[in-house]
Amino acid sequence: MKVGIPSEISPNELRVAATPKTVKRLQKQGFEVYIQHNAGIKANFSDKDFEEAGAKIVATAADIYGKSDIVLKVKEPAMEEVDMMKEGLVMLSYLWPAQNQPLLQKLADKKVNAIAMDAIPRISRAQKMDVLSSMANIAGYRAVIEGSYHFGRFLNGQITAAGKVEPAKVLVIGAGVAGLAAIGAANSLGAIVRAFDTRKEVAEQIESMGAQFLTVEIEEDGATASGYSKEMSKEFIAAEMALFKAQAAEVDIIITTAQIPGRPAPKLILTDHVAVMKPGSVIVDLAASSGGNCELTKNGEVYTTDNGVTIIGKLNQLPSQASQLYGNNLCHLLDDMGKAEKWKIDMEDAVVSRAMVTHNGKINWPPAPLPVSPAKPKAAEVIAEDPKIVAERKNKKEGTSMIIKLVVIGVLLLAMGQFAPGEFMQHFTVFVLAVFIGWQVIWNVSHSLHTPLMAVTNAISGIIIVGGLLQTKDDLSNSMVMTVLASVAILVASINIVGGFVVTHRMLKMFKK
């Protein structure tokens, strides 16, 4: 089977649907790869790079659309591109099916089997094909980098000989993939990060990334079965707007990420919010392409308002990195569809059936709903029990278990004592009790105390080494067996000490930023 990658005709699209690395992967999947001349030049991939990876360079888009079995694209095709496509072609690209009904009809009329990569359902199995998450991850990171560039000073706080620099304050609105990526990047750069989302379930994710979760007093959850946020009540929106205005006057950078598939982006930062922001503040609007979350955003532009606030309506796509991630997503989907050897369009598959927006001359949109966030099960009724009774029962069970263990050890020692020498039994009894008690002590140590425990075991190992050295002295009274045992003890204790220091060092590094 032949896979073709055409050039993107949109002047603002810098990505390409394959990179030299993904070309090699496509070949391993059994496909012949054809790519249009200079298709990857905007993403810093030359024709030579693709040829060295094994792809064949063709001159025109007509050659790609007319001879390929599968076409990989980034942007949705223009109508003139659809005219070049042959019947039965499988095309994978962004399509935005909810907003492009005329395009879907044209593809269906040409009997093109079109897969909308932006319609991949957000289920666990499809995470590796989720292009929206891949691109949102880049956008969130890049939003912080460009926001800090236009902000013009440190994000982290510093105390220098020249004076003290306060850390910047960053507000991230929306804690999806892009929002969490922005939180992580801003936090790693040392900023004070705050985040807001209507979905209460993301509070732990926000806090785990090092940000403060902001909320309003009204008890209302914006989570839905689809994984996206729902439209909130008027009361909630009013409280939300008041919160944003208060934060706008305080923070230095605002990053907005809220988008609704198939609909204009909600307006979250209003004109009066921008008016109270400090001169030099920055708004990075990741929803600019769908209307913007800020009322003053201009799609594709970066400009400064009269009161000195910079509003960013476009981002560098990081085309090389974005093309690599997008290409990986496409390869994962082709893997799931059987590669070249067992290629199949399975309309019973949960991913393919929902992403295949046109199939065999028919429009397959909108798809059947597929809930992502399962409803929380109702808690089973539990009869409350007195905590004192529970604790007493637990202590009694542990005490009984301990007695049984000691009795078993005693019986074994008694049986051994019938045959072994008395001196051996004396030392062996001390050894067994030491092992048993040591195991009980270590087993019950909290994980958070393992580093102090290493210090104690190192001290004990040091005593063992000293004792071993004393037993290896040049003395005729020492037997060869004693010398060998002492040497083994020194070796094992030394390994334990070195291992203790290594583990302690690694645990301490976990707490360093």
Side-chain angles (χ1 to χ4, degrees):
M1 295 185 72
K2 298 178 181 179
V3 171
I5 297 97
S7 293
E8 300 295 327
I9 62 174
S10 171
N12 296 323
E13 183 53 67
L14 307 180
R15 294 169 292 178
V16 63
T19 67
K21 287 184 179 179
T22 62
V23 164
K24 291 179 180 178
R25 182 169 173 181
L26 289 169
Q27 290 173 323
K28 289 180 181 179
Q29 292 173 329
F31 298 108
E32 293 180 49
V33 183
Y34 296 82
I35 187 164
Q36 188 178 346
H37 170 61
N38 279 343
I41 203 71
K42 294 179 183 177
N44 302 315
F45 301 116
S46 67
D47 286 350
K48 183 180 178 182
D49 295 330
F50 285 110
E51 285 181 315
E52 290 176 350
K56 297 176 183 178
I57 307 299
V58 298
T60 65
D63 293 329
I64 295 290
Y65 290 118
K67 297 178 182 179
S68 303
D69 301 300
I70 302 170
V71 167
L72 308 180
K73 267 185 61 59
V74 181
K75 292 280 284 186
E76 65 272 21
M79 292 300 185
E80 58 267 26
E81 290 180 289
V82 179
D83 291 332
M84 302 180 200
M85 296 180 186
K86 69 178 184 180
E87 184 177 319
L89 176 71
V90 176
M91 185 188 67
L92 285 67
S93 74
Y94 279 88
L95 285 173
W96 306 113
Q99 298 146 276
N100 283 321
Q101 283 297 318
L103 175 60
L104 295 191
Q105 188 61 58
K106 179 102 174 177
L107 290 167
D109 293 341
K110 291 283 290 187
K111 294 189 177 179
V112 173
N113 297 319
I115 294 178
M117 295 304 296
D118 48 286
I120 295 288
R122 286 188 159 176
I123 58 177
S124 297
R125 182 170 73 83
Q127 287 181 355
K128 59 188 177 182
M129 317 163 203
D130 188 354
V131 298
L132 295 180
S133 294
S134 298
M135 299 302 104
N137 185 32
I138 293 175
Y141 168 82
R142 188 66 190 181
V144 174
I145 301 302
E146 295 204 20
S148 63
Y149 168 74
H150 287 280
F151 180 50
R153 67 174 177 85
F154 297 140
L155 289 193
N156 64 316
Q158 292 189 12
I159 298 177
T160 69
K164 181 180 179 182
V165 178
E166 295 290 340
K169 296 174 182 176
V170 177
L171 172 63
V172 178
I173 300 177
V177 175
L180 292 175
I183 291 169
N187 186 56
S188 67
L189 290 174
I192 296 173
V193 189
R194 302 164 184 172
F196 176 88
D197 198 290
T198 57
R199 298 166 296 165
K200 304 296 183 183
E201 63 192 32
V202 301
E204 290 184 6
Q205 298 175 39
I206 289 171
E207 290 168 354
S208 70
M209 297 290 288
Q212 177 190 356
F213 177 61
L214 301 178
T215 186
V216 296
E217 297 298 325
I218 298 174
E219 286 297 325
E220 186 176 348
D221 193 355
T224 65
S226 66
Y228 293 96
S229 299
K230 68 178 182 182
E231 188 172 348
M232 309 302 287
S233 67
K234 292 181 179 180
E235 293 78 10
F236 187 96
I237 292 174
E240 183 182 56
M241 292 298 105
L243 173 66
F244 291 162
K245 187 169 185 178
Q247 289 296 316
E250 187 177 346
V251 301
D252 302 299
I253 299 173
I254 297 177
I255 299 172
T256 65
T257 69
Q259 296 193 70
I260 303 171
R263 295 174 59 185
K267 299 301 180 187
L268 304 176
I269 303 299
L270 309 180
T271 303
D272 60 326
H273 295 173
V274 178
V276 301
M277 295 181 73
K278 295 173 286 189
S281 300
V282 178
I283 297 173
V284 185
D285 194 339
L286 295 184
S289 61
S290 56
N293 295 138
C294 176
E295 284 187 333
L296 301 180
T297 297
K298 297 178 181 178
N299 184 30
E301 294 185 32
V302 178
Y303 78 102
T304 303
T305 63
D306 293 338
N307 64 323
V309 177
T310 300
I311 301 178
I312 301 174
K314 71 170 183 177
L315 292 178
N316 185 310
Q317 293 177 322
L318 301 182
S320 299
Q321 179 72 74
S323 297
Q324 181 63 45
L325 293 179
Y326 183 72
N328 286 340
N329 293 140
L330 294 171
C331 287
H332 282 305
L333 181 54
L334 295 177
D335 267 336
D336 263 31
M337 297 181 75
K339 307 178 184 178
E341 183 181 354
K342 299 179 180 178
W343 176 260
K344 179 184 177 183
I345 297 176
D346 183 6
M347 293 304 287
E348 299 297 319
D349 183 273
V351 176
V352 174
S353 63
R354 285 167 175 79
M356 184 75 71
V357 294
T358 61
H359 182 243
N360 290 343
K362 295 180 181 178
I363 295 177
N364 186 39
W365 185 265
L370 181 67
V372 175
S373 301
K376 296 179 181 179
K378 293 182 179 179
E381 292 185 5
V382 179
I383 300 175
E385 200 169 358
D386 190 343
K388 291 183 179 179
I389 296 175
V390 174
E392 288 176 4
R393 187 185 301 137
K394 182 179 179 182
N395 292 335
K396 185 177 180 180
K397 186 184 291 185
E398 290 177 354
T400 303
S401 175
M402 181 70 70
I403 292 171
I404 293 173
K405 291 175 183 176
L406 291 174
V407 169
V408 170
I409 292 173
V411 170
L412 292 175
L413 291 175
L414 182 62
M416 189 179 294
Q418 301 300 317
F419 307 99
E423 185 177 353
F424 170 80
M425 285 303 301
Q426 181 180 357
H427 291 296
F428 186 72
T429 302
V430 172
F431 171 74
V432 170
L433 290 175
V435 170
F436 179 74
I437 294 172
W439 175 76
Q440 286 291 327
V441 169
I442 294 173
W443 186 261
N444 291 309
V445 169
S446 169
H447 294 299
S448 60
L449 298 178
H450 275 196
T451 298
L453 179 64
M454 290 296 176
V456 175
T457 56
N458 282 351
I460 295 172
S461 298
I463 296 172
I464 294 172
I465 289 177
V466 172
L469 290 172
L470 292 175
Q471 294 300 325
T472 57
K473 63 184 179 179
D474 188 13
D475 192 339
L476 295 176
S477 62
N478 275 2
S479 66
M480 180 60 70
V481 175
M482 180 70 74
T483 302
V484 170
L485 290 175
S487 300
V488 171
I490 293 171
L491 175 63
V492 173
S494 299
I495 293 172
N496 191 48
I497 288 175
V498 173
F501 278 114
V502 171
V503 172
T504 301
H505 180 66
R506 290 185 64 181
M507 293 185 69
L508 290 174
K509 283 180 68 178
M510 293 170 61
F511 298 96
K512 293 181 180 179
K513 194 168 183 179

